[in-house]
Amino acid sequence: MSKKKSKVYVTRRILEPALSILSTECKVTLNKTPRPPSREEILKNVAGKAGILCMLTDTIDAEVIDKAGSNLKVISSYSTGFEHIDIREATARGIYVTYTADILAEATADLAFGLILACARNIVSADGYTKNKKWKTAWSPDLMLGYNIHGSTLGIIGLGRIGAAVARRARGFNMKVLYHNRKRNQSLESELRVTYVELDELLAKSDFVSIHTTLNSDSHQLIDKIKLRLMKKTAFLINTARGQVVKEVDLVRTLKRNQIAGAGLDVFETEPLPRSNPLLKLKNVVLLPHIGSATYQTRSKMAEVAARNLLDVLIEKKEPNPKFLVNPQVKNVRPL
Ligand code: GLV
């Protein structure tokens, strides 16, 4: 007799081959709509499931875990960040929590660099100017002047996989790279030819400050008005990490007063960006809708890894060894 398939809930349609991989092994309940499930939908759909494959927009807290019931063995997040999941609660109940680790590092670094280029060289406003038929003079000595990227100084806050990938790109642009991290990493320093400095020095010396730290209690609103005041008037702030690392009201005020040259932002305190958000009215910003990892290749790989992470826990194996585990301590609570 064939074994009963485990029931799993997938909160959004994800790129193939992930759904096919999951469907061969599990009974999948899928949110087929193009929007995140509401709280009520999550609470209803997790009931009786052995696995949840969620996005960073889904809050998976004690109430959701309760609703799922004692069958729940794994929460697999289709993301690198996992601040939307109550890890402590999951661990205490023997639920494995997995993530997509650093798979998005290179794609996110590409986008961070895209924002550097877009900000420094007015790429977005120049495109609008041209398409809106405002280009009347063949060539002008002072049209759309921006700032050099080559030869300038990049300050990287958080030298993890994404920060390091940005540093590699910066070398190709002949930039000087400074970094600040909770822990200094001397072996990476020589490999990447980057210089460790204290945060205040990084802010004061950089022409581009790019944020790549994870969100934690130390990094929450790390960049506030006091830190922004240290930046050069000609510098740009780039954020592809988490909106909450920057105190947004302080950034808005700084940008309105032209105390820095501008900002390139892919992440915000509240997402999607509320219509009333003052950033939307500013000229010296480039704003993107949280698309750091949004390439066909990366999103498909992330989906596959999230699916395999889930199966690593649900499918019985001789030597179970779930990779990309957020909470390795769970193995003591519920060994596989
Ligand atoms: C994206 O921001 C992620 O955490 O995967």
Side-chain angles (χ1 to χ4, degrees):
M1 223 179 75
S2 66
K3 249 187 111 207
K4 248 178 117 191
K5 286 181 169 181
S6 302
K7 291 184 190 166
V8 302
Y9 174 44
V10 180
T11 64
R12 295 289 279 281
R13 191 181 282 286
I14 50 177
L15 292 189
E16 288 293 6
L19 283 175
S20 309
I21 294 172
L22 272 185
S23 308
T24 53
E25 304 281 357
C26 303
K27 190 166 180 303
V28 178
T29 301
L30 172 68
N31 167 26
K32 294 192 179 126
T33 70
R35 52 160 183 79
S38 64
R39 177 84 182 157
E40 290 67 38
E41 285 169 320
I42 295 181
L43 291 170
K44 176 172 154 256
N45 283 303
V46 295
K49 300 295 187 293
I52 303 172
L53 194 154
C54 63
M55 315 289 121
L56 50 83
T57 40
D58 307 317
T59 301
I60 310 292
D61 55 15
E63 192 190 1
V64 173
I65 294 173
D66 257 345
K67 275 278 179 216
S70 57
N71 278 344
L72 186 64
K73 269 174 111 177
V74 54
I75 300 165
S76 166
S77 191
Y78 174 85
S79 63
T80 291
F82 39 82
E83 63 273 10
H84 53 296
I85 302 172
D86 188 335
I87 307 293
R88 196 186 300 185
E89 190 67 32
T91 310
R93 300 186 193 209
I95 298 162
Y96 288 68
V97 180
T98 60
Y99 72 133
T100 54
D102 296 322
I103 285 156
L104 51 56
E106 297 295 329
T108 307
D110 285 344
L111 193 84
F113 232 88
L115 280 172
I116 291 174
L117 290 160
C119 285
R121 299 302 309 272
N122 298 310
I123 292 176
V124 178
S125 43
D127 174 75
Y129 179 88
T130 311
K131 286 182 181 156
N132 292 327
K133 306 192 174 69
K134 291 193 177 145
W135 185 21
K136 304 275 194 262
T137 308
W139 186 88
S140 303
D142 57 356
L143 179 66
M144 295 277 164
L145 296 182
Y147 293 87
N148 279 348
I149 296 163
H150 67 275
S152 66
T153 298
L154 171 66
I156 294 178
I157 302 178
L159 196 69
R161 279 284 289 275
I162 303 175
V166 171
R168 283 192 194 93
R169 283 156 181 73
R171 279 182 49 191
F173 274 76
N174 197 24
M175 295 172 97
K176 178 174 174 192
V177 183
L178 309 176
Y179 83 97
H180 180 76
N181 208 43
R182 281 201 285 189
K183 269 203 211 126
R184 194 173 163 176
N185 186 336
Q186 271 155 330
S187 65
L188 255 190
E189 275 172 38
S190 43
E191 184 199 320
L192 300 174
R193 281 186 258 135
V194 296
T195 307
Y196 176 84
V197 288
E198 289 304 324
L199 181 59
D200 288 2
E201 185 178 346
L202 179 145
L203 292 165
K205 290 194 171 157
S206 299
D207 300 301
F208 301 91
V209 173
S210 196
I211 300 176
H212 301 289
T213 174
T214 52
L215 180 63
N216 52 51
S217 49
D218 288 341
S219 67
H220 185 256
Q221 300 201 332
L222 178 68
I223 305 300
D224 60 5
K225 62 173 179 244
I226 297 169
K227 296 294 178 205
L228 287 164
R229 250 185 240 133
L230 298 173
M231 288 178 65
K232 297 183 192 178
K233 211 170 178 295
T234 50
F236 293 90
L237 182 73
I238 308 296
N239 191 4
T240 53
R242 285 290 182 263
Q244 293 79 358
V245 176
V246 178
K247 193 165 176 194
E248 218 165 78
V249 282
D250 291 358
L251 177 62
V252 168
R253 202 167 300 136
T254 303
L255 289 163
K256 275 189 178 159
R257 294 177 181 163
N258 294 311
Q259 282 167 1
I260 63 173
L265 309 172
D266 184 44
V267 288
F268 305 90
E269 273 179 0
T270 304
E271 297 177 6
L273 205 52
R275 279 158 168 249
S276 58
N277 190 303
L279 283 167
L280 290 165
K281 293 218 169 92
L282 299 183
K283 288 221 166 79
N284 49 356
V285 292
V286 174
L287 309 177
L288 304 180
H290 202 148
I291 54 167
S293 61
T295 68
Y296 291 106
Q297 298 92 331
T298 300
R299 286 281 170 88
S300 160
K301 189 74 203 159
M302 284 170 68
E304 185 178 343
V305 167
R308 293 201 188 281
N309 283 346
L310 199 117
L311 297 178
D312 276 349
V313 179
L314 291 185
I315 304 298
E316 277 173 37
K317 287 192 189 140
K318 267 208 188 115
E319 285 177 44
N321 184 22
K323 292 193 296 286
F324 307 129
L325 200 52
V326 174
N327 56 345
Q329 321 83 297
V330 72
K331 292 182 187 171
N332 305 324
V333 185
R334 180 180 349 203
L336 289 174

